[in-house]
C-alpha cells in the first residue's frame, strides 16, 4: 500500500513539474522560432526622412502612413538622415508616429539631428546604422544661431524628455541633447556632459545608453532583426510633384518667384504690347502657389485671392475708381501670397524683398520704354495746327465795328443780326435785351464780342 502511495506521489510531482515547465518551454520555443528565422509576414513600408523637416515632408509622411494603413502594413520603417528643421512640423510628425496603430521603427542611416532626433524618439524602436548619430537638438533660428528664448527652450526640452520617456529611455540624456546649460553624468550609460556642451550620440554610444535597440547595416536587416519578413517590402518615394514642391518652397526660390511675378505683371500692365513679361509673371505666381499647394501650405482660397486681385488691378486701368480697385486688388494679392506660405513672417519678409527688387526693375523698364507706357493713352501729343491738318474756326475780323441788332436777349450770349446775317455773339458781361442796337467791339477767333449802342 505504501508503495502504491509512493507511486501516486511520484506521478503527481511529475505532472506538476511538467505544468510548470510548459510556459518556459513555450517561451524558449518562441525564441528558437525567431532565431530560426520564423518571421511575421505582411507588408512592410519603408519611408525616407532624408531632407529638412518642414510642412512638405509632413504631407509626404501623411501620405505614406495612409498608404501603409490601406495596404494593411504590419510595420513602418522611417529611414532617417536629416539635419533637422521646423519644430512645429517635427511635433506634428512626432504625434503621427506616436499615435500610429502600425508599429513604427526609426532606422537612423545618417544623422537624426535636432528635430530628427525628436521624430526618432517617438518611434517604437530605434535601430541605427554603424557610424550614424542621434542628438544635437538645441533650438536655432533660420540663420543657425542659438535661440535664447527661455520659454521656447523649456517647451522644446519638455517635448524631448516626453518623447524619450515613451519607451523608457533616460530622460536626462534627451534633455542634454538640447539644453546647453545642463550637466549630465551617466557613467553607467557612457554619457558625460558638462555645461556648454550638447549631447550627440554615435551608434555605439546610443546602443549603450539605451537610445538604440540594435545596430544594422540596412533597413532590410533591421526588419529581419525585428522578426518581420522581408519578402513584402514597399519603398515609398516622393512623387515628381512633391519633389518639385520641395524645391519651390525653398525661401530663396519663393522670393525669386515673387520678384519675377510682381515685376512681370506690373511691367505688362504699365508697358503693354510685349506679352512676354505678363506670361512669365503669371507663370512665376502659378509656380509659387503650386509649390505651396502641393506642400500643404496653401488651399483653394489662395488661388481665388490671387485671381481676384489680378482682375481688380486690370480693371483699375480701365474703370475710374479713384484707386479703390487698385488698392483692393493689391490687398487680395498680398493676402493670397501670405496665406499660401508656411509662415506669415517669412512670407512678408520674402514679399518685401521681392517688392523692393521688382520696383527697381520696373523703374528701369519704364524709363527705357517710356514711349510705350500706358500713360501715353491719356496724353494728347498732336498739336492742333494748320500744318497737322486741323482747320481753326473762321475769324470774322470784318465784323469789328459793325452795327447790328440783338435778335435774342444776350445773357451774355445770344444772337444778333448784322447786315441781314445772324451771328452768335457774347457781351462783355452785361445784359442786353432783344431788339437793341449793338456794335462789335472785338473778335477772338470764333468769339464775337458786342456792346449795346447808346442812342
Amino acid at each position: 500500500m505504501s508503495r502504491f502511495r509512493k507511486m501516486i506521489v511520484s506521478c503527481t510531482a511529475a505532472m506538476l513539474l511538467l505544468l510548470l515547465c510548459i510556459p518556459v518551454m513555450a517561451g524558449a520555443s518562441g525564441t528558437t522560432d525567431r532565431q530560426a528565422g520564423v518571421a511575421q509576414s505582411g507588408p512592410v513600408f519603408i519611408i525616407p526622412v532624408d531632407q529638412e523637416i518642414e510642412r512638405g515632408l509632413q504631407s509626404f509622411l501623411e501620405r505614406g502612413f495612409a498608404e501603409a494603413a490601406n495596404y494593411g502594413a504590419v510595420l513602418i520603417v522611417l529611414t532617417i538622415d536629416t539635419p533637422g528643421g521646423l519644430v512645429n512640423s517635427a511635433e506634428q510628425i512626432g504625434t503621427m508616429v506616436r499615435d500610429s496603430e502600425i508599429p513604427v521603427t526609426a532606422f537612423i542611416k545618417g544623422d537624426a539631428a535636432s528635430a530628427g532626433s525628436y521624430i526618432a524618439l517617438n518611434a517604437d524602436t530605434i535601430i541605427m546604422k554603424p557610424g550614424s548619430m542621434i542628438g544635437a537638438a538645441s533650438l536655432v533660428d533660420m540663420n543657425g544661431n542659438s535661440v535664447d528664448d527661455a520659454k521656447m527652450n523649456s517647451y522644446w526640452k519638455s517635448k524631448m524628455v516626453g518623447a524619450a520617456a515613451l519607451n523608457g529611455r533616460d530622460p536626462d540624456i534627451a534633455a542634454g541633447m538640447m539644453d546647453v546649460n545642463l550637466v549630465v553624468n551617466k557613467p553607467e550609460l557612457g554619457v558625460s556632459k558638462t555645461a556648454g556642451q550638447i549631447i550627440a550620440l554615435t551608434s555605439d554610444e546610443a546602443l549603450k545608453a539605451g537610445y538604440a535597440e540594435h545596430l544594422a547595416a540596412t533597413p532590410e536587416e533591421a526588419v529581419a532583426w525585428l522578426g518581420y519578413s522581408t519578402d513584402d517590402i514597399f519603398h515609398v518615394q516622393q512623387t515628381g510633384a512633391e519633389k518639385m514642391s520641395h524645391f519651390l518652397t525653398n525661401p530663396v526660390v519663393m522670393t525669386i518667384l515673387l520678384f519675377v511675378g510682381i515685376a512681370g505683371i506690373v511691367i505688362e500692365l504699365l508697358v503693354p504690347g510685349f506679352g512676354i513679361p505678363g506670361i512669365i509673371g503669371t507663370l512665376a505666381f502659378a509656380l509659387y502657389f503650386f509649390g505651396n499647394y502641393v506642400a500643404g501650405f496653401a488651399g483653394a482660397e489662395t488661388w481665388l485671392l490671387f485671381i481676384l486681385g489680378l482682375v481688380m488691378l486690370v480693371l483699375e486701368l480701365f474703370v475710374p475708381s479713384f484707386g479703390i480697385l487698385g488698392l483692393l486688388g493689391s490687398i487680395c494679392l498680398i493676402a493670397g501670397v501670405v496665406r499660401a506660405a508656411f509662415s506669415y513672417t517669412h512670407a512678408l519678409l520674402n514679399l518685401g524683398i521681392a517688392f523692393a527688387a521688382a520696383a527697381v526693375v520696373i523703374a528701369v523698364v519704364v524709363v527705357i520704354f517710356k514711349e510705350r507706357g500706358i500713360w501715353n493713352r491719356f496724353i494728347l501729343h498732336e498739336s492742333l495746327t494748320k500744318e497737322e491738318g486741323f482747320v481753326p474756326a473762321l475769324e470774322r475780323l470784318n465784323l469789328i465795328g459793325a452795327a447790328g441788332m440783338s435778335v435774342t436777349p444776350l445773357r451774355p450770349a445770344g444772337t444778333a443780326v448784322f447786315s441781314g446775317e445772324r451771328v452768335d455773339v457774347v457781351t462783355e458781361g452785361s445784359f442786353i435785351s432783344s431788339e437793341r442796337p449793338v456794335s462789335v467791339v472785338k473778335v477772338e477767333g470764333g468769339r464775337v464780342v458786342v456792346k449795346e449802342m447808346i442812342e
Side-chain angles (χ1 to χ4, degrees):
M1 189 68 178
S2 59
R3 186 176 180 181
F4 180 71
R5 288 179 180 176
K6 287 181 180 181
M7 290 178 62
I8 293 176
V9 171
S10 298
C11 290
T12 303
M15 292 179 64
L16 290 175
L17 182 61
L18 180 62
L19 290 173
L20 290 173
C21 290
I22 287 175
V24 177
M25 293 172 64
S29 175
T31 303
T32 303
D33 288 344
R34 178 174 176 177
Q35 292 173 348
V38 178
Q40 180 178 346
S41 62
V44 174
F45 273 63
I46 297 179
I47 308 176
V49 182
D50 52 5
Q51 65 185 63
E52 289 190 7
I53 298 169
E54 36 79 37
R55 185 64 179 85
L57 175 64
Q58 180 183 338
S59 298
F60 166 63
L61 291 178
E62 288 172 351
R63 178 174 68 83
F65 273 64
E67 289 183 5
N70 291 335
Y71 275 82
V74 295
L75 178 68
I76 294 176
V77 178
L78 300 179
T79 56
I80 300 177
D81 184 10
T82 175
L86 300 178
V87 170
N88 55 351
S89 292
E91 286 186 72
Q92 296 295 326
I93 296 171
T95 300
M96 180 172 58
V97 171
R98 185 171 59 248
D99 294 343
S100 173
E101 295 182 358
I102 305 170
V104 179
T105 292
F107 176 75
I108 302 175
K109 65 176 183 178
D111 296 335
S114 192
S117 61
Y118 174 74
I119 294 174
L121 289 175
N122 279 278
D124 300 299
T125 310
I126 297 177
I127 298 176
M128 299 179 67
K129 183 177 181 179
S132 59
M133 180 275 291
I134 182 173
S138 59
L139 288 178
V140 295
D141 58 21
M142 295 295 291
N143 298 319
N145 300 317
S146 297
V147 175
D148 296 327
D149 190 319
K151 185 176 181 180
M152 283 295 298
N153 278 288
S154 178
Y155 173 79
W156 183 235
K157 182 178 178 179
S158 68
K159 299 297 289 187
M160 288 288 294
V161 169
L166 287 174
N167 294 294
R169 309 186 197 280
D170 191 296
D172 293 337
I173 296 178
M177 288 181 174
M178 65 79 49
D179 190 346
V180 70
N181 298 314
L182 188 67
V183 175
V184 179
N185 187 23
K186 303 279 183 175
E188 70 281 5
L189 300 178
V191 178
S192 179
K193 170 192 172 311
T194 60
Q197 295 180 329
I198 289 293
I199 294 178
L201 303 176
T202 65
S203 55
D204 292 329
E205 291 171 340
L207 187 63
K208 182 177 180 180
Y211 270 64
E213 278 70 44
H214 185 65
L215 301 184
T218 63
E220 290 77 11
E221 184 180 325
V223 171
W225 182 85
L226 289 168
Y228 294 90
S229 172
T230 58
D231 296 334
D232 199 12
I233 289 181
F234 292 85
H235 290 269
V236 181
Q237 300 294 336
Q238 289 188 334
T239 63
E242 288 170 333
K243 292 179 180 178
M244 186 177 180
S245 171
H246 178 62
F247 170 75
L248 294 176
T249 53
N250 181 282
V252 176
V253 176
M254 288 172 64
T255 303
I256 294 174
L257 290 175
L258 289 175
F259 157 70
V260 174
I262 294 169
I265 289 178
V266 174
I267 289 173
E268 186 63 36
L269 293 176
L270 294 181
V271 189
F274 293 108
I276 295 177
I279 294 173
I280 293 176
T282 303
L283 286 176
F285 271 119
L287 288 173
Y288 174 86
F289 285 103
F290 171 78
N292 286 281
Y293 179 78
V294 174
F297 304 148
E301 76 281 358
T302 59
W303 290 95
L304 179 62
L305 286 171
F306 167 65
I307 295 172
L308 185 61
L310 195 59
V311 170
M312 287 184 178
L313 287 178
V314 174
L315 288 177
E316 176 63 27
L317 299 176
F318 304 100
V319 180
S321 67
F322 304 99
I324 295 176
L325 284 175
L327 178 61
L328 291 176
S330 300
I331 292 174
C332 287
L333 281 177
I334 294 173
V337 168
V338 172
R339 280 192 58 83
F342 67 89
S343 167
Y344 291 167
T345 302
H346 293 117
L348 291 174
L349 176 62
N350 295 340
L351 195 59
I353 296 173
F355 262 123
V360 175
V361 174
I362 292 168
V364 172
V365 172
V366 166
V367 170
I368 295 176
F369 298 98
K370 58 184 177 181
E371 304 84 11
R372 307 186 61 164
I374 193 171
W375 50 85
N376 290 310
R377 298 179 181 178
F378 309 104
I379 300 175
L380 181 63
H381 293 280
E382 295 82 5
S383 300
L384 304 181
T385 63
K386 293 179 181 179
E387 291 77 8
E388 296 292 336
F390 294 96
V391 180
L394 180 64
E395 287 188 309
R396 306 292 297 274
L397 298 178
N398 62 314
L399 291 177
I400 296 177
M405 184 72 66
S406 61
V407 178
T408 63
L410 307 181
R411 301 192 179 102
T415 304
V417 62
F418 298 93
S419 302
E421 182 182 0
R422 294 170 67 93
V423 179
D424 292 329
V425 298
V426 63
T427 71
E428 293 179 310
S430 61
F431 171 78
I432 301 176
S433 60
S434 61
E435 304 298 329
R436 299 295 299 170
V438 296
S439 64
V440 178
V441 294
K442 59 182 175 181
V443 176
E444 299 173 336
R447 187 169 177 264
V448 180
V449 183
V450 300
K451 70 175 182 177
E452 186 177 0
M453 296 175 61
I454 305 300
E455 297 180 357

